[in-house]
Amino acid sequence: MEIEVNAIGGYEEVGRNMTAIRVNEDIVIIDMGLRLDRIAIHEDAEIERMHSIDLIKMGAIPNDAVLSRSKGLVKAIVCTHGHLDHIGAVPKLAHRYEAPIIATPFTAELIAQQISVEKKFGVENPLYTLDAGQIYQITPDVAVEFVRGTHSIPDPVFAVLHTPAGALVYANDFKLDRTPVIGKPPDFNRLKSLGKEGVLALIVESTRVKVAGKTPSEQIAKDLVRDVLLGTEELENGVLVTTFSSHIARVKSIVEAADEMDRHPLLLGRSMERYLRTAESVGLVELPDNVGVYGNRRSVDKILKRVMQDGKEKYLPIITGHQGEPEAMLTRVARELTPYQVTSGDKIVFSAEVIPSPLNVANRYSLETKLKMHGARLYTNVHVSGHAAREDHWEFIKMLKPDHIFPTHGDLSMTSSYVELAEEAGYSLRDNIHLLRNGQNMAIER
Amino acid sequence: MEIEVNAIGGYEEVGRNMTAIRVNEDIVIIDMGLRLDRIAIHEDAEIERMHSIDLIKMGAIPNDAVLSRSKGLVKAIVCTHGHLDHIGAVPKLAHRYEAPIIATPFTAELIAQQISVEKKFGVENPLYTLDAGQIYQITPDVAVEFVRGTHSIPDPVFAVLHTPAGALVYANDFKLDRTPVIGKPPDFNRLKSLGKEGVLALIVESTRVKVAGKTPSEQIAKDLVRDVLLGTEELENGVLVTTFSSHIARVKSIVEAADEMDRHPLLLGRSMERYLRTAESVGLVELPDNVGVYGNRRSVDKILKRVMQDGKEKYLPIITGHQGEPEAMLTRVARELTPYQVTSGDKIVFSAEVIPSPLNVANRYSLETKLKMHGARLYTNVHVSGHAAREDHWEFIKMLKPDHIFPTHGDLSMTSSYVELAEEAGYSLRDNIHLLRNGQNMAIER
Amino acid sequence: MEIEVNAIGGYEEVGRNMTAIRVNEDIVIIDMGLRLDRIAIHEDAEIERMHSIDLIKMGAIPNDAVLSRSKGLVKAIVCTHGHLDHIGAVPKLAHRYEAPIIATPFTAELIAQQISVEKKFGVENPLYTLDAGQIYQITPDVAVEFVRGTHSIPDPVFAVLHTPAGALVYANDFKLDRTPVIGKPPDFNRLKSLGKEGVLALIVESTRVKVAGKTPSEQIAKDLVRDVLLGTEELENGVLVTTFSSHIARVKSIVEAADEMDRHPLLLGRSMERYLRTAESVGLVELPDNVGVYGNRRSVDKILKRVMQDGKEKYLPIITGHQGEPEAMLTRVARELTPYQVTSGDKIVFSAEVIPSPLNVANRYSLETKLKMHGARLYTNVHVSGHAAREDHWEFIKMLKPDHIFPTHGDLSMTSSYVELAEEAGYSLRDNIHLLRNGQNMAIER
Amino acid sequence: MEIEVNAIGGYEEVGRNMTAIRVNEDIVIIDMGLRLDRIAIHEDAEIERMHSIDLIKMGAIPNDAVLSRSKGLVKAIVCTHGHLDHIGAVPKLAHRYEAPIIATPFTAELIAQQISVEKKFGVENPLYTLDAGQIYQITPDVAVEFVRGTHSIPDPVFAVLHTPAGALVYANDFKLDRTPVIGKPPDFNRLKSLGKEGVLALIVESTRVKVAGKTPSEQIAKDLVRDVLLGTEELENGVLVTTFSSHIARVKSIVEAADEMDRHPLLLGRSMERYLRTAESVGLVELPDNVGVYGNRRSVDKILKRVMQDGKEKYLPIITGHQGEPEAMLTRVARELTPYQVTSGDKIVFSAEVIPSPLNVANRYSLETKLKMHGARLYTNVHVSGHAAREDHWEFIKMLKPDHIFPTHGDLSMTSSYVELAEEAGYSLRDNIHLLRNGQNMAIER
């Protein structure tokens, strides 16, 4: 029995995740992600129309050429949650494999949307949905089990590959959140039972392993949002909140705060509309009747006109643009391209951190400078992360007790920080904790 | 009518706060603080035995010599809360003035304790207690009103001096906390009515004015503490929590979490015992019966011996030493000078930030290194600040609408950051926002 | 005799310097600068065609409206060196005043060029040149003396206004360089004699006052450039150097290093051509015959084609683009828009620091990422600053012993750091060191 | 033929370097260093009296127990330069092996001194000197060749082990300095010829591989020192310079600058005397007659008394204490424990960087605070490093073209940054660039 871990993408960077597990001649691909910051440094890249080869050359999608040298055949493509760094390369790469795509319902719906806007390639792989808690038998030797996780998007899972040589757990990305606002906590019982049964290998994210302590629960983010929005004596000002469109739990918390503030929540912007409508369609969230959802520019402008007429203090617009993206709602507001006028004392609440690429930092700086010139008051980083911190990883290792660990999703400074953590837990580099680089693979044995 | 603001200490540093307001010939001193880091850089300073003159030369206490050049007479010494940077110089300076000391009950009790341990000077000024909400007529022209505030110690107040020329508000230190865990929120109604009546001058701290947004409520700290202590699958390990002894609200939150964890809370260390017993004595907190409180070294060691016998998983010791102070409990534990043995997987929770002087950073580094060598897992910064952040200050200015503002409690980088904030709110440097330096004074008029 | 210092621009920022001194009814304006980063955050600003009013609203040029409220008349506009933050607003503001512009020859030539490309306004003020060491009598009461300074552009001066009430020294920007590569050291004798005669006021830059110690001489930059270019065993690779076009001394050092390397120096890019040709025309530098100078895109591409044919190891192109400016030469090279191909092991030497605005940081990041993808090796910050550091300022104060000091050219964190330095030298805030904000003025007396 | 690289110390930290190469049954140890910061966090460690076992437990010296599991015999101990992190554990570990110690003359002399002050162990290994350029045949199969390097201490070498399977190059620590002030540049010809002959493995330091570009030559440090000391108009003030006692080249540059300043250089402090006398004794430096050298406290105090009588402007004391070490000269001066009085305007020149451990930072902070309270002006970081930066490493790899690379001397963040550099040069992690951890070993083959 040969088990081989193939590091394809995400082993040298944050973004473009892709791992392939070969079990004898059966290959299962897990995740096919996109690295957006590699697109952003180019002036005129229009991703929907670009060819895989160019995107690989730019470092924007995983270089799956290494798989062609492998002696197996791809039998399934598994996607573990709906962020673009996990599903964004599906439209560019999946058609190369005769294999179904397997994902939870919300993730599957987002994948379908990605495929539908792709303009270069036609992706016709069948798309299967699998709920957390369920198992799908891919080949006689290999089954995939979805174990419920928590993250900053709904319906994320740990993917567990069951093989004759043992189970491989893929945990990228996740946090350990006992009070996740939407959905249930991670399936700790199943994780512990896997630990008892024996885990052959753990493939695990390392984006925030350098951060001391424990990532606070999403409930804390909800508390922080309420503390900012309700903990004030100023009730007559305009308030705008911006957050991740795909972070349905956060949007829900903000909508509920709007209710306590006695303001109408408005969800504005194309991606805000798309993610919320998708979440509704799969039953993840039920928006109250008083929530207005407006995606296209015309309808957004129309409702903002009414906001200005009725009074800004009656509404709580929840909008896109927390990274200062040039085309997003908040940037358009700052540039006075919408009817909404920011005036002295209005509050802009960023329920998001800055993803610290220099381009984001520059965009945010331009955005914040313009907002301040209008007299806006800024509340930044009203947020908690969706990624496990150092002590979460410690607990996770203790729970699963894997024979081998492969840190992924990070540059070498992150994955090697994971190595140091694992060493504290008794592992040893090159013996049972392994640093793979994109394009490398390693065979493991029980 | 002459009103003069005298900047004595705290106008060039964090620590040793002291302001004097002269109203014609009546002077009211507000706060008499100590700057501990100026002691710490010396090898062998024993503060209880030192003379004021040496402490002034070291920059450790305010240089009140400037007052001797003033044409008024000190009629009262007002202390606004019980931290050492506000009351720590009382034993060294108060005896120079024939004037009563006025403070809230908890603060007054702490001042009395300071005076009692002083070995160089005998301080015999009368000590009056005044509750938040009350007014004390100091002279025919001057009365002091205590307005309820919130901070990281119980019973803090804004001091409002009522003079024939108008009210002066002293707000150093404070946060605007609507859910403060112990006590009530700031008296927003009174603050707003002061704003309507007209405030001649605001003297205001600037320690955290550079920090964007709003300081979260102490309730968030409670949520964070619970998230760390309860949000874990590891129930059998030793857990130690360290926090500020004077932060009674925080200690209360930790004690309550211990209850949910089904562990006995233990309050250990001299200052932990002193502050908690003082808080109990003035009715601020009621500790449950199962809380053990042990101050002196022998009794601490005795109970820790029992902890080791019974099992660490049955107790939650709450101890001193969050800054790595060489003599504090946690440092002694790390150095194996107590019966408590830290072993692999034990959790050490720092419910405090590092006060970022280089000496503290070095002490914490030594402490953390030693703890890690024992296998401890560290949870740092499980904490929220007790000081107003930038947008709290914005709201505060909008509420009080003072004619003049004097930022204090900070170095020039902090006070000048406050100036920039005030400029955003329509004030103008040198016209109505004033940068005083230690030893300077300024007359103001309506 | 009334002497009034008017802070117009540069008192709250780096950029758009402008100060006006009123002596009874005579006003002398010193510098009229532009703040480029305020243009850069806008998507589509074309500065040559913009109106002053819009540029003032954006914060890009000084708001000289405050002068219209003054009771004097502008009699001269003095520019102290040729950087855009000192002369860039001349085309937008000078025509409002019936007054000559006075500058050293190199600066005057650069001002003339600025005026000639302006498309919105016609500026017809007479342009007088005055050499360092000379005095010009502006009105019976006011004369301006130019005292030789050193900075990162040739021919900079301290402007000294002689008035019946004493001399005012304007020192913005400068360094104290005893070995400046081009030109002579500052005129220390004259500075010291001014100090002895008595200086009423010093208006002084504060951009680098936070930096400890002394700014190294430009000779050190020359040493560093040589150390990088000559101190290598790799002689066959392509080498590109980028630096400030206006930094003639630096360019000269690089050209000389090229000679030692036995490579042909090429000066490439429009601004590189413009500044070098201007420097040659006023006799500041004499380029050796083997230096190629190519400004427009076509001729640049032609010579780069030849470089590729002859061999990159035979040339040392010195090019624009050290900040990653999108249109500059180095960015075009990185984007493969020129015939020059960067390949593995080629060296790119940045003889410049990153001016740390977020937009520059982002541009540099994009640039460096692209260069690295071609295999380039980067040598960054091979540079020393042109601005006085903390101890240079200390010496400068000690030399001039001014009665009053007005720090300028910096945000409040910089000007207030200057205040702290001056306090160390015995000055006192609000007594004889003054923090003015844009739009404020202050009368001074001997 | 078995070649095995044993990582013993320095593979997880800066400090306590030790590597052992096994060639069949012959083992050669290279370096036996001490990690001082692991001593410093303890309150009362007196290293001369401590046992190896305790020092190993503290992480202060390498854990050589791993060698006892090896099947070879130690035949030689090679030390490559005289810093304590390379020779400081010799007195604690060398006696365990029946093998000579081999070092260059200056290094050997320093080792002899270390051994002589040791109080716990008696070290009687023979001590052989070998000059750079020479080869010593250790066993029939193994010879060691010393190749001249450059570093921040005189007489450093690359150690080259010649084995039947090829040469192994040990390069820890070094810089590539073409103008090293004392001694000659690295032996580039020999390095290149080694590269041509074929290098089986390179063991290489990584302390500064994260630093972009090239480490400037020591000549630049000399230029900087002269620029600070001579580039001033203030000639009457006291000036103190502090630097690394073992950095003979730097001391020489400062002594020469003293001559140009027309001041008497004084070398003060025990380690200053020891290193300089040692350097003289092996002919590395010849101090001019006018240099005073005083080591013990009494003679230092005596000369400083004379300095105060004659006038501080006549002397240039060069003293110990750049890291703020509590017992060093500069700290004693700051605490007024010597006759030398620092007064307003005196210059303190730190010709050293702060080695950034938190304890050093705290010590330096205390020191600088005290000096400033006396009115001193501080010139910090008048210095260049003795370690190769990123592009030096690039050139070094290109020169040697080793088959295998083992980065050492750094924590994982440093060694893994070296991995990234090597990947840019075409190497591949786990194939030919290897991350070993303390206690691990790896066999290599041609």
Side-chain angles (χ1 to χ4, degrees), chain B residues 68-84:
Chain B
S68 61
R69 294 193 305 267
S70 186
K71 60 182 171 183
L73 219 61
V74 173
K75 297 297 174 60
I77 298 166
V78 172
C79 289
T80 57
H81 66 275
H83 281 150
L84 284 179

PDB file of all heavy atoms in Angstrom, chain B residues 68-84:
ATOM      1  N   SER B  68       5.321  76.575  44.785  1.00  0.00           N
ATOM      2  CA  SER B  68       5.784  77.532  45.787  1.00  0.00           C
ATOM      3  C   SER B  68       5.908  78.927  45.190  1.00  0.00           C
ATOM      4  O   SER B  68       5.882  79.925  45.897  1.00  0.00           O
ATOM      5  CB  SER B  68       7.126  77.067  46.363  1.00  0.00           C
ATOM      6  OG  SER B  68       8.084  77.006  45.327  1.00  0.00           O
ATOM      7  N   ARG B  69       6.025  78.998  43.859  1.00  0.00           N
ATOM      8  CA  ARG B  69       6.089  80.303  43.211  1.00  0.00           C
ATOM      9  C   ARG B  69       4.706  80.877  42.941  1.00  0.00           C
ATOM     10  O   ARG B  69       4.562  81.997  42.491  1.00  0.00           O
ATOM     11  CB  ARG B  69       6.841  80.190  41.868  1.00  0.00           C
ATOM     12  CG  ARG B  69       8.310  79.829  42.004  1.00  0.00           C
ATOM     13  CD  ARG B  69       9.041  80.047  40.674  1.00  0.00           C
ATOM     14  NE  ARG B  69       8.398  79.300  39.576  1.00  0.00           N
ATOM     15  CZ  ARG B  69       8.774  78.071  39.204  1.00  0.00           C
ATOM     16  NH1 ARG B  69       9.750  77.453  39.833  1.00  0.00           N
ATOM     17  NH2 ARG B  69       8.176  77.479  38.198  1.00  0.00           N
ATOM     18  N   SER B  70       3.700  80.073  43.195  1.00  0.00           N
ATOM     19  CA  SER B  70       2.321  80.487  42.894  1.00  0.00           C
ATOM     20  C   SER B  70       1.812  81.374  44.022  1.00  0.00           C
ATOM     21  O   SER B  70       2.242  81.283  45.172  1.00  0.00           O
ATOM     22  CB  SER B  70       1.452  79.236  42.770  1.00  0.00           C
ATOM     23  OG  SER B  70       0.169  79.577  42.363  1.00  0.00           O
ATOM     24  N   LYS B  71       0.879  82.239  43.664  1.00  0.00           N
ATOM     25  CA  LYS B  71       0.453  83.192  44.689  1.00  0.00           C
ATOM     26  C   LYS B  71      -0.730  82.685  45.520  1.00  0.00           C
ATOM     27  O   LYS B  71      -1.231  83.403  46.375  1.00  0.00           O
ATOM     28  CB  LYS B  71       0.120  84.540  44.050  1.00  0.00           C
ATOM     29  CG  LYS B  71      -0.996  84.499  43.030  1.00  0.00           C
ATOM     30  CD  LYS B  71      -1.204  85.888  42.420  1.00  0.00           C
ATOM     31  CE  LYS B  71      -2.174  85.784  41.254  1.00  0.00           C
ATOM     32  NZ  LYS B  71      -2.388  87.036  40.545  1.00  0.00           N
ATOM     33  N   GLY B  72      -1.152  81.453  45.300  1.00  0.00           N
ATOM     34  CA  GLY B  72      -2.294  80.937  46.053  1.00  0.00           C
ATOM     35  C   GLY B  72      -1.884  79.975  47.157  1.00  0.00           C
ATOM     36  O   GLY B  72      -0.697  79.760  47.430  1.00  0.00           O
ATOM     37  N   LEU B  73      -2.886  79.399  47.780  1.00  0.00           N
ATOM     38  CA  LEU B  73      -2.682  78.464  48.874  1.00  0.00           C
ATOM     39  C   LEU B  73      -3.443  77.174  48.576  1.00  0.00           C
ATOM     40  O   LEU B  73      -4.597  77.218  48.144  1.00  0.00           O
ATOM     41  CB  LEU B  73      -3.220  79.078  50.168  1.00  0.00           C
ATOM     42  CG  LEU B  73      -2.387  78.831  51.430  1.00  0.00           C
ATOM     43  CD1 LEU B  73      -0.990  79.423  51.298  1.00  0.00           C
ATOM     44  CD2 LEU B  73      -3.111  79.416  52.624  1.00  0.00           C
ATOM     45  N   VAL B  74      -2.813  76.046  48.828  1.00  0.00           N
ATOM     46  CA  VAL B  74      -3.472  74.775  48.525  1.00  0.00           C
ATOM     47  C   VAL B  74      -4.573  74.515  49.546  1.00  0.00           C
ATOM     48  O   VAL B  74      -4.312  74.463  50.750  1.00  0.00           O
ATOM     49  CB  VAL B  74      -2.458  73.624  48.506  1.00  0.00           C
ATOM     50  CG1 VAL B  74      -3.167  72.282  48.371  1.00  0.00           C
ATOM     51  CG2 VAL B  74      -1.454  73.828  47.362  1.00  0.00           C
ATOM     52  N   LYS B  75      -5.799  74.314  49.085  1.00  0.00           N
ATOM     53  CA  LYS B  75      -6.940  74.125  49.959  1.00  0.00           C
ATOM     54  C   LYS B  75      -7.451  72.681  49.973  1.00  0.00           C
ATOM     55  O   LYS B  75      -8.211  72.311  50.866  1.00  0.00           O
ATOM     56  CB  LYS B  75      -8.082  75.072  49.532  1.00  0.00           C
ATOM     57  CG  LYS B  75      -7.719  76.553  49.650  1.00  0.00           C
ATOM     58  CD  LYS B  75      -7.439  76.940  51.096  1.00  0.00           C
ATOM     59  CE  LYS B  75      -6.935  78.365  51.252  1.00  0.00           C
ATOM     60  NZ  LYS B  75      -7.848  79.399  50.766  1.00  0.00           N
ATOM     61  N   ALA B  76      -7.075  71.927  48.961  1.00  0.00           N
ATOM     62  CA  ALA B  76      -7.511  70.525  48.946  1.00  0.00           C
ATOM     63  C   ALA B  76      -6.646  69.727  47.984  1.00  0.00           C
ATOM     64  O   ALA B  76      -6.087  70.275  47.028  1.00  0.00           O
ATOM     65  CB  ALA B  76      -8.978  70.418  48.522  1.00  0.00           C
ATOM     66  N   ILE B  77      -6.506  68.437  48.315  1.00  0.00           N
ATOM     67  CA  ILE B  77      -5.839  67.483  47.415  1.00  0.00           C
ATOM     68  C   ILE B  77      -6.877  66.438  47.045  1.00  0.00           C
ATOM     69  O   ILE B  77      -7.419  65.753  47.911  1.00  0.00           O
ATOM     70  CB  ILE B  77      -4.647  66.811  48.128  1.00  0.00           C
ATOM     71  CG1 ILE B  77      -3.602  67.862  48.529  1.00  0.00           C
ATOM     72  CG2 ILE B  77      -4.033  65.737  47.242  1.00  0.00           C
ATOM     73  CD1 ILE B  77      -2.568  67.355  49.526  1.00  0.00           C
ATOM     74  N   VAL B  78      -7.184  66.360  45.759  1.00  0.00           N
ATOM     75  CA  VAL B  78      -8.226  65.454  45.280  1.00  0.00           C
ATOM     76  C   VAL B  78      -7.562  64.299  44.541  1.00  0.00           C
ATOM     77  O   VAL B  78      -6.705  64.540  43.685  1.00  0.00           O
ATOM     78  CB  VAL B  78      -9.183  66.217  44.328  1.00  0.00           C
ATOM     79  CG1 VAL B  78     -10.149  65.262  43.660  1.00  0.00           C
ATOM     80  CG2 VAL B  78      -9.915  67.319  45.081  1.00  0.00           C
ATOM     81  N   CYS B  79      -7.915  63.081  44.869  1.00  0.00           N
ATOM     82  CA  CYS B  79      -7.386  61.933  44.122  1.00  0.00           C
ATOM     83  C   CYS B  79      -8.545  61.231  43.434  1.00  0.00           C
ATOM     84  O   CYS B  79      -9.547  60.904  44.075  1.00  0.00           O
ATOM     85  CB  CYS B  79      -6.638  60.983  45.047  1.00  0.00           C
ATOM     86  SG  CYS B  79      -5.067  61.673  45.623  1.00  0.00           S
ATOM     87  N   THR B  80      -8.389  60.965  42.139  1.00  0.00           N
ATOM     88  CA  THR B  80      -9.543  60.525  41.353  1.00  0.00           C
ATOM     89  C   THR B  80      -9.679  59.017  41.208  1.00  0.00           C
ATOM     90  O   THR B  80     -10.728  58.528  40.815  1.00  0.00           O
ATOM     91  CB  THR B  80      -9.519  61.187  39.963  1.00  0.00           C
ATOM     92  OG1 THR B  80      -8.276  60.858  39.320  1.00  0.00           O
ATOM     93  CG2 THR B  80      -9.647  62.697  40.085  1.00  0.00           C
ATOM     94  N   HIS B  81      -8.605  58.270  41.435  1.00  0.00           N
ATOM     95  CA  HIS B  81      -8.741  56.821  41.577  1.00  0.00           C
ATOM     96  C   HIS B  81      -7.473  56.276  42.214  1.00  0.00           C
ATOM     97  O   HIS B  81      -6.512  57.022  42.418  1.00  0.00           O
ATOM     98  CB  HIS B  81      -9.067  56.129  40.245  1.00  0.00           C
ATOM     99  CG  HIS B  81      -7.977  56.188  39.222  1.00  0.00           C
ATOM    100  ND1 HIS B  81      -7.814  57.264  38.371  1.00  0.00           N
ATOM    101  CD2 HIS B  81      -6.984  55.322  38.900  1.00  0.00           C
ATOM    102  CE1 HIS B  81      -6.781  57.047  37.582  1.00  0.00           C
ATOM    103  NE2 HIS B  81      -6.253  55.875  37.880  1.00  0.00           N
ATOM    104  N   GLY B  82      -7.469  54.975  42.492  1.00  0.00           N
ATOM    105  CA  GLY B  82      -6.451  54.439  43.383  1.00  0.00           C
ATOM    106  C   GLY B  82      -5.196  53.867  42.771  1.00  0.00           C
ATOM    107  O   GLY B  82      -4.408  53.226  43.466  1.00  0.00           O
ATOM    108  N   HIS B  83      -4.955  54.061  41.473  1.00  0.00           N
ATOM    109  CA  HIS B  83      -3.699  53.573  40.893  1.00  0.00           C
ATOM    110  C   HIS B  83      -2.527  54.402  41.405  1.00  0.00           C
ATOM    111  O   HIS B  83      -2.664  55.593  41.674  1.00  0.00           O
ATOM    112  CB  HIS B  83      -3.760  53.656  39.359  1.00  0.00           C
ATOM    113  CG  HIS B  83      -4.538  52.537  38.737  1.00  0.00           C
ATOM    114  ND1 HIS B  83      -5.232  52.675  37.560  1.00  0.00           N
ATOM    115  CD2 HIS B  83      -4.730  51.255  39.127  1.00  0.00           C
ATOM    116  CE1 HIS B  83      -5.816  51.525  37.249  1.00  0.00           C
ATOM    117  NE2 HIS B  83      -5.529  50.646  38.186  1.00  0.00           N
ATOM    118  N   LEU B  84      -1.347  53.751  41.438  1.00  0.00           N
ATOM    119  CA  LEU B  84      -0.175  54.418  42.011  1.00  0.00           C
ATOM    120  C   LEU B  84       0.247  55.651  41.238  1.00  0.00           C
ATOM    121  O   LEU B  84       0.824  56.568  41.807  1.00  0.00           O
ATOM    122  CB  LEU B  84       0.999  53.435  42.096  1.00  0.00           C
ATOM    123  CG  LEU B  84       0.897  52.421  43.240  1.00  0.00           C
ATOM    124  CD1 LEU B  84       2.093  51.484  43.216  1.00  0.00           C
ATOM    125  CD2 LEU B  84       0.811  53.133  44.579  1.00  0.00           C
TER     126      LEU B  84
END
